[in-house]
Amino acid sequence: MKFSFSWLVALLAGLAVLVGYFVPILGWLQELVVQVAVLLASFALLAGIFNLLGVHWNRVDTGKPGSGYSILLVFSFIIPLITAGLDFWFSGRPMGYWTLWAFRYIQVPVEASLFALLAVTLSYAAARMLSRRLDIPGLVFFVTIFLVLLLTSPYISVFLTQFGLGGVRNLFTQVLAAGGTRGLLLGVALGTIATGIRILMGVDRPYG
Amino acid sequence: MSDLRAGGGEIESSGDQGSFESGDVSDWLSRLGQVEESPAAPGKAQPVQGDALPDWLAAPSEKGDPNVPDWMEELGINPSPPAPPASKPSPPPAKPSQPASKPLQSVSKPSQPPAGPFQPAARQEEEDVPDWLRSLGRQDAPASPVQPSSASQQETPDWLSSIGAGQSAEAFPAEDSGSLPDWLSNLAAATDPGPAASPPKQPDPSDRAGQKGAAFQTPAAREPALPSEPGVPDWLNSFKSPEPADAPPPEESSSGLPDWLSNLAAATDSGLAAQPAKQADLPDWFSQMGAASTPAASEPAQEADQGGLDWLSQMGAASTPAASEPAQEADQGGLDWFSQMGAASTPAAPEPAQEADQGGLDWLSQMGAASTPAAQEPAQEADQGGLDWFSQLGAASTPAAQEPAQAADQDGLDWLSQMGSAPTSPAASEPVDQGGLDWLSSIKSTEPAQTPPAEESSTGLPDWFANLASSAASGPAAPPAKQADLPDWLSQMGAATETPATQEPASPPAQAAPDWLSQFSTEPAPPAQEQSGDDWLSQFGQRAFGAPEETSPAEKAEASPPAWFADQDGALFDALRAGAESSAEEKPLTESKPAAGSDWLSNLGDSSSTPSSTPAFIMDDESANWFGDEQSPAVGDTGLSESPDWLSQVSPDQASDEALTEGEGESPAEALAAADMPSWLEAMRPVEAIAPDAFKDASDTHVENSGPLSGLRGVLRAEPEVGRIRRPPPLLSKLELSAAHQSRVESLETLLAAEGKAKPVAVQPPVRPQVILRLLIAVILILATLWGLVWSGAQQVSLPDRSLVESEMTEVVAVRGMVEMVSNAPVLVSFDYEPALSAEMNAIGGVVVTHLQEKNAFLTMVSTSPLGPALADQMINYVQAQRGITYTNVTNLGYIPGGAGGLLSFAKYPHQTIPYSIDSTFTPISPFTSNSDKGWASPALRAINTVADFALVVVITDNADTARAWVEQVRPTLDADTRLVMLVSAQAEPFVRPYYSESIQPDKQQVSGLLAGILGGVAYQSLRGVESAPWKTWDALAISSLAAALMIVLGGVFNLFAALFARSRRAKNGA
């Protein structure tokens, strides 16, 4: 195992947080490390924002292909700053009227529209699935989609509920899906433990 | 020669020379031997005058030194040291300070006083080592203190004598160099000044060879000079181990081996306590070879004089128990090391009295014995002085047992004579004095010769040659005593020809030639045929000295030069013969006296001295036996043979007795006359001269009429077609193309034309069905939503029944109960949802916020999302708008950074986490309003230190992770009086519902109440029973969700059948 300073820092930080769970007396150490981590994460967010702005500004400056999109990104970055400045100047809050206006009428509709396309795309993919993969798993997947979507529909659920078949939807969403999700969560938990141990041991060094 | 000098420089000189009879040496060699006799060298043999020298040898004598040829004089070799006396009366004592190894002296040092030991007289008879070997051995052989020398000195050619005389003219007595060729003697003399006459000479540091010689110097070599063996060059004797000063002189160290060979033998015997013979200065490596398998004590009577080359003998002895050779007296002077190589495969026990005097080169004779059981050679005493190895080669094809009394003293070059005698007869097993070359005799001895025990085969051939011959001719029957010393390679040679001889013991094959030659013959030689493959050697003797009619000892003593030598000049051989005769007169050759080193020449005469009185020299039969029947007689008959005569005459008929007889009758002059034109030259004659009409083309009648070939017929004409003038063929102006070519051209043109045309792109319909379906779905959903929100006047879809909600939706009932308990209490409301879901969340949260305001709860709004504070204000404004009032018990603390950590921090330390509210933070700065009662400064929040101090915590979120973070980070900090209520969207319901359980006590529940989706809000509204405006959202939700479900079903079914139809169509098309 190659010794490195970054590994030493990661080891000490991890041990400090872990010890804080089992030894309440050393909670202060856990607090210290977590506060430092939050602070670094905040600066990391800022660093990421400025890095992204610099990259696209460089692309605009050099006139590389696709620089128009970079101009749009820079412009989108500048507009919230202006609105926030105006809100702060006039209302004393960085998130005032203009900022919420832009958020409500620009950002939310854009993201909602993109998410709505997902519904169309998923529907089309489900319809084309049988032409691309005509086998048992494909058929099972296709039937499952159809039933969940159909049972989710308020019309169908209400109809079934009226006939005492409301539990059919719960069978899919709370039994089958929940069972699979529990398994996934257990796997995630075990994976998290293993990853934490590996990081503490220096086997995995995602920090470089 | 330089190699020999170098080698000699490494070896001590030795005066041990094998004594030999001068009569064994051809005249020309005897004369050569006289040249190198130093004055200090005693010897009994009188130097032979140079009148018998050939012209090419005699010519130098006219100029200065009669014994030195011109080429040697030109080389700077001075073979004319002061002629040594015939004998040295008082040999100088051994030089104790004489370095054993002397640096190689320059060959051009003839003035070096001869010094060295003298051979005993008894040894002088056995000096069979060729002069060239003897002179080599003289360089390094240790000087023997007492070696009265009486050996003849004529056997060393001048060119050898000149080498040896350069340094050790005094050190080597006449008899020492007499048996060696002059060039060897001179070599020895040049490199060894002699221990007796010359002062101790320090090795020349600059002399590389001398240093090397010093390096190889054995301790024994530094001792007083040992009596060297006759016939062994000093440099061979130097290999011998030092002989004790008081050791009696070896009685039978009379081999004609070179000293270097003798020393080798003695070196191997040095460690033998019971061996009285002198010990050679063998190199350790070689002596160990012999000693490895030959226990010394087990050879009590072995008296083989293995001067110089005993190392080879002991190689043979590696597999030979010495004890089984009680009376082996093979005098293997010098080169008997080679003979013992042959003994490696020979059981030596059955050789009781082998006394082959193999002076010098008899190591080769024992090579022939490698394939011959030594037990069948009881008393072979071949005195093979010097080169008798060659004589044994002749003996390879001669059954030795058939010549019991042959005692040709063929010292030196008798190996050549034995080659001649190989086919002659079974008499090869006679006691032959094979001075030095008896290794050839041993080859002969491999024949199934029934050799009498005391047979002495003094064939004069070298041993290796004799053995070679014997190996070819002998069978498993009783070969002569000297059989076992041939090495394997020579034994195999002998064995190759051994079979026919075995099958015909009474008619030994006439192929005494080496096996490689004898194998050419497909038939064995006639029984009485005496001319074998080495007839050229015998004929050499005949030509030089006249073919003897009968074999006599004296005739055997005549050394016959090789045929090639005889062919050169008849006068030369006449002179040589005269010298040989004079030598024979001086010493009777009937005795089995080993000739000195050059007896290979003297034995040439013996090659014809077979009992069958077969003439030894027949011009036309030179190569008859060499190639046997390989050559077709028809070739010779037609005269078209391109091979020389010596090949063309190879045929059995030419090897017949008749040819031999004819050869006998011819005088040398006639023989010379018959060989006027060399065969090789005759073979070069044009074919037309033999068959002028053989290659003529009868159909060609053209006769050349111009040019230098004018008048000739059959000449290739130069311009049969060139001179003609023709009209050039008309060139086709039209290309003829076949149908296939036309089709290919058209294809190519089509491709080229299509290459420039643009490929039509399939036109897509502007509106595809999928797009239509997509638009159709969107339109239907939009219309359904608008119809529910806009165009529906009254509530289209009735709200859920209260009783049904109370019975079916307990979580809603729990929420309502908790909101009812928070009157005038601070309630923490978290707005953690996105603006995209604000419509749903406002429908859910609005009923609860309205209920809270109705309870006059102090709403403290926070958010873990940056847009949360704006959504909170929007919610408050929405509720105020719904109620138509302005609710002031509200404070917006703003954003909680840090995610889950921030929640933890806020749960425990709210003031530290969010110290300022949006409404009150900048109040002092704001010039227009005063919000001092807002934020943490408001009266409702002044008692709040932790989240647990709030009366109720309401989380409005559309994210399951955010809900989980609140449950995990904040819920543990809450006490039993503070409950956590979740208002989530429909999509987050499955993830939040697990935290709710109605079966658990409320204070222990993680989530005490849950409202999920619009349905939850409607149920909460229905539960409260409060009259309100119609829920347009509820109608829009009902219609749009139903429409979406229908569209999904219809679209799915449509696409399903479309897919099935497409599959069936593809299946049909594919079929």
Side-chain angles (χ1 to χ4, degrees), chain A residues 98-149:
Chain A
W98 297 104
T99 301
L100 292 177
W101 182 88
F103 180 77
R104 182 177 180 180
Y105 295 101
I106 296 176
Q107 187 167 3
V108 171
V110 170
E111 293 190 10
S113 301
L114 295 174
F115 193 77
L117 292 177
L118 180 60
V120 177
T121 303
L122 290 177
S123 301
Y124 174 75
R128 291 277 298 170
M129 186 183 66
L130 293 179
S131 64
R132 297 295 182 90
R133 185 174 179 178
L134 184 59
D135 51 6
I136 300 301
L139 290 174
V140 171
F141 187 77
F142 180 80
V143 172
T144 303
I145 291 174
F146 174 73
L147 292 179
V148 171
L149 189 59

Side-chain angles (χ1 to χ4, degrees), chain A residues 36-201:
Chain A
V36 172
V38 171
L39 184 62
L40 292 177
S42 302
F43 279 98
L45 177 63
L46 292 176
I49 291 172
F50 286 105
N51 181 55
L52 179 65
L53 181 63
V55 170
H56 285 275
W57 181 262
N58 190 20
R59 291 172 62 91
V60 173
D61 189 22
T62 55
K64 291 182 178 179
S67 58
Y69 299 102
S70 299
I71 294 174
L72 182 61
L73 186 138
V74 172
F75 183 74
S76 301
F77 177 77
I78 294 174
I79 289 177
L81 287 178
I82 294 174
T83 56
L86 291 175
D87 287 340
F88 182 77
W89 180 261
F90 291 102
S91 64
R93 301 180 62 235
M95 190 177 295
Y97 174 79
W98 297 104
T99 301
L100 292 177
W101 182 88
F103 180 77
R104 182 177 180 180
Y105 295 101
I106 296 176
Q107 187 167 3
V108 171
V110 170
E111 293 190 10
S113 301
L114 295 174
F115 193 77
L117 292 177
L118 180 60
V120 177
T121 303
L122 290 177
S123 301
Y124 174 75
R128 291 277 298 170
M129 186 183 66
L130 293 179
S131 64
R132 297 295 182 90
R133 185 174 179 178
L134 184 59
D135 51 6
I136 300 301
L139 290 174
V140 171
F141 187 77
F142 180 80
V143 172
T144 303
I145 291 174
F146 174 73
L147 292 179
V148 171
L149 189 59
L150 187 62
L151 295 175
T152 304
S153 174
Y155 286 111
I156 303 302
S157 60
V158 172
F159 180 79
L160 293 176
T161 303
Q162 293 176 357
F163 291 93
L165 299 176
V168 176
R169 177 187 177 274
N170 294 336
L171 176 65
F172 282 93
T173 59
Q174 298 178 11
V175 176
L176 298 178
T181 306
R182 287 178 184 269
L184 292 176
L185 292 175
L186 290 175
V188 170
L190 294 176
T192 302
I193 295 172
T195 302
I197 294 174
R198 291 171 62 86
I199 291 175
L200 291 177
M201 295 178 65

Side-chain angles (χ1 to χ4, degrees), chain B residues 96 101 117 467 485 492 508 514 584 588 594 598 626 681 698 924 1050:
Chain B
S101 174
N467 291 334
D485 295 336
Q492 294 178 359
S598 62
W626 288 81
L681 182 59
L1050 294 176

Side-chain angles (χ1 to χ4, degrees), chain B residues 1019-1039:
Chain B
Y1020 189 85
Q1021 185 69 22
S1022 175
L1023 183 62
R1024 285 186 63 191
V1026 178
E1027 295 291 337
S1028 63
W1031 280 70
K1032 300 297 182 179
T1033 307
W1034 178 251
D1035 293 341
L1037 176 62
I1039 296 172

